[in-house]
Amino acid sequence: MTRFSTTPPADLTAAVARLLEERSRRELAERAARISAIYRAQGRTADAIADEADALAYALTRLPATYAATIDAFGRLAEQAPQFCPRRMLDLGAGLGTASLAAAEAWPEIEAVTLLDRSRAFLDTARRLAGCGVGALARARLVEGDVLAPPAERFDLVVASYALTEIAEASLAAAVDAAWAACDGALVFVEPGTPRDHGRLMAARARLIAAGARILAPCPHHAPCPIAPPDWCHFCVRLARSRDHKLAKGADAPFEDEKFAYLVAARESLDAAPAAARVLARPAILKHGLRIKLCMRAGIAEATFEKRDKRTFGPIKKKAWGDALALEETPAKP
Ligand SMILES: C[S@@+](CC[C@H](N)C(=O)[O-])C[C@H]1O[C@@H](n2cnc3c(N)ncnc32)[C@H](O)[C@@H]1O
């Protein structure tokens, strides 16, 4: 698969450290704890982020995870659409521009970036970070506004990372329609990996398919999602924690695992195709092989791959949760 580094760009880390120099670490840790509690309880940014100190606490303790999930989703898109070369990008509910920073790493060809958000605290801090040398933000246009009314332009890449989750149920369909209307190439939604957000993504998926979109990932088909509650489709990305990140969280572990859900849709004109199957959970290691839960065109399957079948087992043994399988790698009889 196309893997990009899950570590946020060095110019962002340096700029955040610079803006944090004058601030008390204790206060930062308190703010980070409060912000995490609000987001965990499905609170909104309007309740969590009031000023620059909050935005910087977010940059240190939450952004690394949303960045890692978003760039992982971009890797899945790049794998299904290797020729995709976006030039204009719209980052909906951008916050500090997490998705724009990730996109600049995945597709350095991007020339024009628009960050749209209604949080003035996030946008002002993004501007300050740009002034401290964050290249991808320095080139960006920052727009204060609502995701329901994006600029009346078309973009090769439209992304909403951890933003749909804050949209009220009654406005979700309109937000999806607005994002799709602005999209000329690929549309990526990245969300927390919860049953609620998976359900909302599947509602968005049905709406996009009805509007003529092709789904590129994670689904290998356009049929209704075969996953039934209490199961839900989500993925996991591991990210390293910096020293400051650990201090602000009061955590010892040098890494954390972020669970996320995502959806990649594309216009017909994009040269791309979905995978034949996708790995839906961490493969189970058996004495004689691997058992892998797959989403396939025919539905969900628990497939066993035997070590003794060297030709098929070779490529399969490297597969991880979230990976795509090509047609020749899928089992004939799961
Ligand atoms: C959890 S933050 C995610 C920020 C960033 N995309 C990330 O991945 O780190 C959600 C963002 O969506 C923005 N947002 C929520 N509802 C919005 C709306 N209706 N219009 C514009 N922005 C919105 C919030 O202000 C916030 O910046």
Side-chain angles (χ1 to χ4, degrees), residues 29-51 54-55 57-58 61-62 122 162 165-166 192 194 196-197 249:
E30 283 166 8
R31 286 185 186 251
R34 188 182 62 82
I35 291 166
S36 291
I38 292 172
Y39 280 129
R40 257 201 312 276
Q42 277 172 12
R44 311 233 160 118
T45 295
D47 307 313
I49 309 291
D51 54 23
D54 286 337
Y58 182 94
T61 59
R62 189 63 199 128
F122 266 147
Y162 289 78
T165 189
E166 295 196 10
T194 66
R196 168 193 180 262
D197 292 297
K249 271 200 173 153

Side-chain angles (χ1 to χ4, degrees), residues 45 58 66 93-95 98 117-119 122 145-147 161-162 166-167:
T45 295
Y58 182 94
T66 60
T98 317
D117 205 292
R118 65 179 178 190
S119 162
F122 266 147
D146 199 291
V147 300
S161 66
Y162 289 78
E166 295 196 10
I167 303 295

Side-chain angles (χ1 to χ4, degrees), residues 185-273:
L187 171 63
V188 181
F189 293 139
V190 186
E191 291 283 85
T194 66
R196 168 193 180 262
D197 292 297
H198 161 70
R200 286 162 58 100
L201 271 184
M202 290 307 98
R205 176 181 181 270
R207 202 164 176 89
L208 288 167
I209 292 171
R214 265 187 312 158
I215 303 300
L216 295 184
C219 325
H221 55 75
H222 288 79
C225 176
I227 298 181
D231 198 4
W232 75 101
C233 181
H234 65 293
F235 301 92
C236 183
V237 62
R238 176 159 289 188
L239 56 129
R241 284 179 172 148
S242 68
R243 189 178 146 273
D244 282 347
H245 185 171
K246 281 193 286 179
L247 276 176
K249 271 200 173 153
D252 290 331
F255 62 84
E256 67 187 37
D257 288 334
E258 172 70 8
K259 302 266 170 61
F260 67 100
Y262 75 99
L263 186 70
V264 180
R267 292 271 168 203
E268 272 294 333
S269 51
L270 202 74
D271 183 10

Side-chain angles (χ1 to χ4, degrees), residues 156-183:
D156 306 316
L157 175 64
V158 177
V159 187
S161 66
Y162 289 78
L164 280 193
T165 189
E166 295 196 10
I167 303 295
E169 204 62 45
S171 302
L172 185 62
V176 172
D177 292 352
W180 182 240
C183 171

